[in-house]
Amino acid sequence: MLVGRNRGTNNRAAGARGKVRDSGYLRRYMREAAQVARRIDVSVMDRMVERLVGLREAGGRLFLCGVGGSAGNCSHAVNDFRKLAGIEAYSPVDNVSELTARTNDEGWRTVFSAWLGVSHAGPRDVLFVLSVGGGSVEPQVSLNLVDAIEEAKRRRMDVLGIVGRDGGHTSRRGDIVLIVPTVNAESVTPYTESFQSVVWHAMVCDPRLAIAGNRWESESKSASREAGGASVGAAP
């Protein structure tokens, strides 16, 4: 009886799927994603990797700042830069208590710049901004990023960034900044935040930066080696 009910449910679900009309939106979205990938300036990514190799060799620290979806990307990227690339990396968005205390007591605008200050950030360190607009004084958007960049410059830090549109303040003041190409003005945010992830993952997997492999790929290689060894041992 139970099996029969499941079959009925599956048939109804399949019927429902068959009635869905392809609007073409998703196909267009994926075509545009491919266009973004083709237009990415890989030479800028290459310069970022070289700068981060230098940072690691000099014992510097990497500070990542972003808001909204880019804040989530910062948190993820911190893990990858630390675990896969051996870089001492941090993001203020990973400390909710400090972030909200500073916002409550001093305001949202200075949360990142004050955090750089108490971290004693210096010339050996790098600020890495992930943002769609990159921060702007006029109109006033993401002023906390603007202040963080200016604080980094006062401390003689290099500023890297992955941003969209024209890159805003990050593009104007940053040292190495990748602008995710705009292929559809109505989809700048999703493509920028998506390609932030694509770009930093490519960077931490670059042999110049990578010190460890990803878990599943390493498991697959280990299984292949074991299979190869067993095959050799079984040969007459």
Side-chain angles (χ1 to χ4, degrees):
M1 293 295 289
L2 181 61
V3 172
R5 282 202 300 271
N6 283 343
R7 281 178 176 170
T9 301
N10 291 337
N11 288 338
R12 285 194 296 275
R17 285 197 296 273
K19 295 177 182 176
V20 174
R21 188 172 58 186
D22 182 355
S23 69
Y25 176 83
L26 296 177
R27 296 178 192 281
R28 184 172 66 251
Y29 187 94
M30 299 310 293
R31 281 199 303 272
E32 291 173 353
Q35 292 175 26
V36 174
R38 285 195 295 271
R39 295 183 189 180
I40 289 282
D41 189 343
V42 178
S43 68
V44 177
M45 295 171 59
D46 190 70
R47 291 171 57 204
M48 286 186 181
V49 169
E50 290 293 332
R51 179 62 187 89
L52 294 176
V53 168
L55 173 145
R56 184 173 61 191
E57 291 175 351
R61 296 168 297 172
L62 182 63
F63 297 113
L64 290 102
C65 288
V67 299
S70 296
N73 281 343
C74 284
S75 186
H76 183 161
V78 162
N79 166 71
D80 290 349
F81 280 116
R82 294 179 70 93
K83 187 172 183 293
L84 301 179
I87 292 175
E88 187 178 349
Y90 304 94
S91 177
V93 302
D94 285 334
N95 189 329
V96 174
S97 296
E98 181 179 356
L99 189 69
T100 54
R102 290 188 181 281
T103 302
N104 186 67
D105 298 346
E106 290 105 33
W108 180 233
R109 177 165 181 163
T110 58
V111 290
F112 297 151
S113 56
W115 176 73
L116 289 174
V118 80
S119 299
H120 304 291
R124 288 193 308 174
D125 305 320
V126 166
L127 174 66
F128 201 150
V129 176
L130 301 183
S131 172
V132 175
S136 172
V137 176
E138 189 59 47
Q140 296 189 351
V141 181
S142 299
L143 290 175
N144 45 17
L145 294 178
V146 172
D147 280 16
I149 292 166
E150 293 308 309
E151 181 67 22
K153 287 299 175 184
R154 280 192 290 274
R155 293 173 177 275
R156 295 185 292 134
M157 300 167 63
D158 281 346
V159 175
L160 311 186
I162 305 174
V163 295
R165 300 183 188 279
D166 63 355
H169 199 74
T170 303
S171 177
R172 285 190 287 277
R173 294 283 285 157
D175 297 282
I176 309 173
V177 178
L178 178 73
I179 297 178
V180 176
T182 297
V183 299
N184 181 345
E186 296 182 353
S187 301
V188 170
T189 296
Y191 287 132
T192 300
E193 293 181 347
S194 297
F195 275 89
Q196 287 169 356
S197 178
V198 171
V199 169
W200 97 65
H201 278 107
M203 290 164 60
V204 298
C205 291
D206 187 302
R208 291 170 292 177
L209 269 183
I211 63 167
N214 291 291
R215 174 66 185 274
W216 290 111
E217 289 79 354
S218 300
E219 291 284 345
S220 179
K221 287 181 180 177
S222 177
S224 297
R225 283 196 298 271
E226 289 178 5
S231 176
V232 170

